[in-house]
Amino acid sequence: MFEFKITCKPETGRARTGVLKTHHGMVQTPVFMPVGTLGTVKAVSAEELKEIGAQIILGNTYHLYLRPGCDVIDRFGGLHRFMHWDRAILTDSGGFQVFSLAKLAKIQDEGVTFQSHIDGSTHMLTPEKAVEIQLTLGSDIIMCLDDCIQYPSTRNETETALELTTNWAKRCKVVWESQGRDNIALFGIVQGGMFEDLRKQSAEALKEIGFSGYAIGGLSVGEPREMLYQMADLSLAHLPDNFPKYIMGVGTPEDLVELVGLGADMFDCVLPTRNARNGQLITRKGNLNICNAQFKFDTGPIDENCDCYTCRNYSRAYLRHLYLARELLVYRLNTIHNIHFYITLMEEIREAIKENQFNEFKKQFYSMRQC
Ligand SMILES: [Zn+2]
């Protein structure tokens, strides 16, 4: 059975550590989940992810539903066996991609009709179908279908989308309950755009319906950073503390540190993997662009304090050479380092919280990153 337990909650501040008990092992929180859009965290294998210390990864329902299709994954009994990953998996509902990637998305109360970005075929995603697809994928944590709006959106647009999101959340809960799968968690998603009262209203409505955990969606969509923190802050504050709280699609190392401080437990973001493929390497002393001429003769690793596979074995000069020559190995080596940075950052955060040193950790983190 899915469970969440808070393991440490210092009296000062809102940061806490916890553990998610899933069908595929324990997940220590706060946790960063690498994004495995198409059943693969781009450029690295499941074994490499385990070696780096990833406890849980994210899969994208929209992508997997369109390609290879649920029938293929069902033949393997689910995504875990299909992609050879035996730790936890969280899948999103597909809503975000339908609204951002698919063509001609048409929203109705029933669901959303869209055309595949791959072959133009027409599909309809309903709250019921979103849950059923995720159950077929065999995810440990599944997400409700939500209506994702753009930034900026008017109050009217935001209210309409919120009403739909709440109704869809109720319908997702009904299907999930009817399946009696208490080893699979269903999370509701707080929306409400950049309006404080609508965010609060959304959190209250979801709490009323009752979920295994709560996510905060619709952030990091182009709004100023202060607004992101403000919306996350009040959304987190209105969600019940004894449940996991997940901020979707965020963010930079600084965002993670700030949001943990506001009480967030779970994160996902394409930033470390996407940046790795663009030659942007993340270190505790700031980010570096491996293309820079200054690294041409640099015999040192990306970060002398990093003990990832890449830093233990390869130099900046070699990585720069591979990147400029567009050699495939560089995508793997860069990705290993960047994911390792995020996973290690979360480990250090958990340690700091347990020792009641989170504020000191934060100060040190910022002073180092600005080096
Ligand atoms: Zn490294």
Side-chain angles (χ1 to χ4, degrees):
M1 193 169 160
F2 177 86
E3 266 183 319
F4 175 66
K5 274 201 182 112
I6 293 169
T7 50
C8 181
K9 172 69 194 76
E11 278 179 18
T12 51
R14 282 154 63 187
R16 75 254 188 99
T17 63
V19 59
L20 300 166
K21 191 178 154 197
T22 79
H23 195 48
H24 290 90
M26 305 287 200
V27 175
Q28 305 296 326
T29 65
V31 65
F32 176 77
M33 306 180 281
V35 178
T37 306
L38 276 157
T40 165
V41 174
K42 289 189 196 305
V44 290
S45 68
E47 289 77 14
E48 284 167 330
L49 283 172
K50 282 167 85 166
E51 198 187 310
I52 297 167
Q55 309 177 74
I56 175 169
I57 57 170
L58 182 137
N60 285 119
T61 295
Y62 169 85
H63 288 284
L64 293 165
Y65 162 76
L66 291 178
R67 185 169 56 188
C70 290
D71 47 352
V72 174
I73 296 173
D74 197 26
R75 184 69 66 90
F76 289 79
L79 187 55
H80 285 91
R81 219 176 97 206
F82 184 56
M83 67 175 289
H84 186 53
W85 172 254
D86 59 7
R87 295 187 182 171
I89 295 178
L90 178 148
T91 43
D92 66 5
S93 66
F96 182 77
Q97 280 77 22
V98 167
F99 295 108
S100 59
L101 275 182
K103 295 172 197 146
L104 303 169
K106 189 175 169 225
I107 308 160
Q108 295 161 302
D109 289 344
E110 174 63 14
V112 53
T113 312
F114 63 95
Q115 280 189 350
S116 157
H117 74 290
I118 302 167
D119 61 8
S121 54
T122 303
H123 303 266
M124 186 173 200
L125 190 62
T126 63
E128 291 79 10
K129 194 166 174 187
V131 170
E132 279 158 14
I133 295 171
Q134 293 179 81
L135 290 175
T136 304
L137 295 175
S139 317
D140 300 283
I141 301 174
I142 68 177
M143 305 298 299
C144 287
L145 184 66
D146 56 340
D147 183 357
C148 307
I149 50 170
Q150 291 176 332
Y151 173 80
S153 285
T154 65
R155 187 176 173 91
N156 264 349
E157 289 163 343
T158 312
E159 276 177 343
T160 308
L162 177 55
E163 195 182 332
L164 202 55
T165 294
T166 309
N167 287 337
W168 285 356
K170 282 181 197 156
R171 283 163 56 189
C172 286
K173 170 103 187 268
V174 170
V175 188
W176 173 74
E177 265 185 337
S178 72
Q179 301 280 333
R181 306 274 287 273
D182 60 3
N183 58 341
I184 293 173
L186 175 68
F187 280 27
I189 306 175
V190 175
Q191 289 288 350
M194 303 301 154
F195 299 94
E196 290 194 7
D197 59 326
L198 298 183
R199 284 270 166 193
K200 181 179 173 215
Q201 190 186 315
S202 179
E204 299 292 343
L206 294 177
K207 210 157 59 175
E208 180 86 23
I209 302 167
F211 290 97
S212 334
Y214 298 87
I216 296 160
L219 295 178
S220 204
V221 287
E223 76 281 18
R225 181 151 289 172
E226 299 69 45
M227 196 179 268
L228 187 168
Y229 293 157
Q230 192 190 341
M231 290 301 136
D233 187 3
L234 72 100
S235 304
L236 287 162
H238 283 101
L239 292 170
D241 284 332
N242 48 343
F243 287 83
K245 303 181 189 185
Y246 162 30
I247 310 257
M248 304 182 82
V250 182
T252 64
E254 284 76 9
D255 291 338
L256 267 53
V257 170
E258 288 303 318
L259 295 168
V260 164
L262 299 175
D265 307 299
M266 302 165 68
F267 303 92
D268 79 281
C269 191
V270 294
L271 191 146
T273 39
R274 182 175 288 166
N275 280 15
R277 300 193 303 280
N278 293 326
Q280 296 286 329
L281 299 168
I282 304 162
T283 81
R284 54 192 76 221
K285 290 185 182 168
N287 299 352
L288 61 88
N289 187 335
I290 201 65
C291 305
N292 286 350
Q294 69 184 100
F295 303 128
K296 187 171 180 182
F297 298 100
D298 194 330
T299 56
I302 302 167
D303 178 349
E304 64 273 16
N305 292 314
C306 177
D307 64 352
C308 84
Y309 171 79
T310 305
C311 290
R312 277 187 279 121
N313 297 293
Y314 300 95
S315 66
R316 288 173 169 183
Y318 181 62
L319 293 170
R320 176 175 184 270
H321 156 68
L322 291 183
Y323 189 77
L324 293 178
R326 292 287 184 265
E327 276 294 334
L328 297 180
L329 177 62
V330 80
Y331 301 110
R332 174 173 156 242
L333 295 178
N334 285 356
T335 302
I336 288 174
H337 170 82
N338 275 2
I339 296 180
H340 183 273
F341 177 88
Y342 268 62
I343 301 281
T344 308
L345 174 66
M346 300 317 275
E347 276 169 15
E348 289 170 355
I349 287 176
R350 292 196 296 270
E351 277 313 301
I353 296 170
K354 282 177 189 160
E355 287 163 16
N356 203 6
Q357 298 283 318
F358 182 66
N359 284 336
E360 289 72 12
F361 170 85
K362 226 169 120 171
K363 275 182 213 144
Q364 207 194 354
F365 167 82
Y366 277 112
S367 70
M368 289 280 284
R369 283 277 289 173
Q370 283 159 6
C371 283

